[in-house]
Amino acid sequence: MPIAEPGTYMQLPSGTRVLWGAVDDTTETLKLLKDADGVGTIGKTAGFVEVTRLIDTEKKFISDMPEGEDKEFMFWDDPADADLQGLITAAEANETVKIRVEFPNGRWSDLIVVLSGWRQEEPTGGEALKVAIVGKQNGLTRGVTA
């Protein structure tokens, strides 16, 4: 089987869409967050639990339960964007929401995220104002659009 040329499958993240809504919302009812600038790492990894027995002469481990990523979503701050303001309000209330990330290569991820607040990023000369929404990923479903 020949090795594929990188230009046939690699894509820049431009065109990535970020949407949000209630945990039970369908994809069609999620609200677009037009000013998304960063979604952080998506995935889940497990740590390790030591299970060394007295008979063992070196430490032994098993995989722990997977844990979702700590999340930080970055947005250009548009106070007139009702959908972004709704997400900030949800973050202030520490709500659990669904965040959908649709990448231009067809891959998508639906994240269940418990929000834990927001912060206005430090203003920097020459750069537009940003707001960060923080939380913890509690669930992940992913796939590829045909």
Side-chain angles (χ1 to χ4, degrees), residues 5-117:
E5 258 319 291
T8 64
Y9 63 91
M10 289 188 184
Q11 293 189 349
L12 297 174
S14 58
T16 297
R17 291 169 31 99
V18 179
L19 305 103
W20 86 281
V23 171
D24 295 330
D25 281 358
T26 64
T27 301
E28 298 73 35
T29 60
L30 295 173
K31 297 169 265 319
L32 178 65
L33 295 166
K34 67 176 179 59
D35 288 313
D37 184 51
V39 295
T41 303
I42 297 172
K44 54 185 175 181
T45 57
F48 298 94
V49 176
E50 184 178 343
V51 292
T52 306
R53 303 166 297 179
L54 292 175
I55 196 171
D56 294 325
T57 58
E58 60 184 43
K59 290 185 177 187
K60 305 291 182 186
F61 298 88
I62 59 173
S63 182
D64 199 356
M65 292 174 53
E67 181 176 328
E69 299 289 332
D70 290 333
K71 299 302 300 173
E72 181 173 280
F73 300 96
M74 296 296 294
F75 302 94
W76 300 108
D77 190 12
D78 178 0
D81 181 350
D83 294 330
L84 177 58
Q85 296 312 307
L87 182 59
I88 291 171
T89 299
E92 285 178 341
N94 298 326
E95 292 181 15
T96 300
V97 300
K98 180 188 291 185
I99 306 266
R100 182 178 181 91
V101 181
E102 298 174 344
F103 295 102
N105 65 356
R107 188 174 301 282
W108 56 266
S109 296
D110 283 345
L111 311 170
I112 304 304
V113 179
V114 58
L115 301 176
S116 60

Side-chain angles (χ1 to χ4, degrees), residues 132-146:
I133 307 288
V134 295
K136 180 78 167 175
Q137 178 185 305
N138 273 349
L140 169 64
T141 305
R142 58 183 232 139
V144 177
T145 303

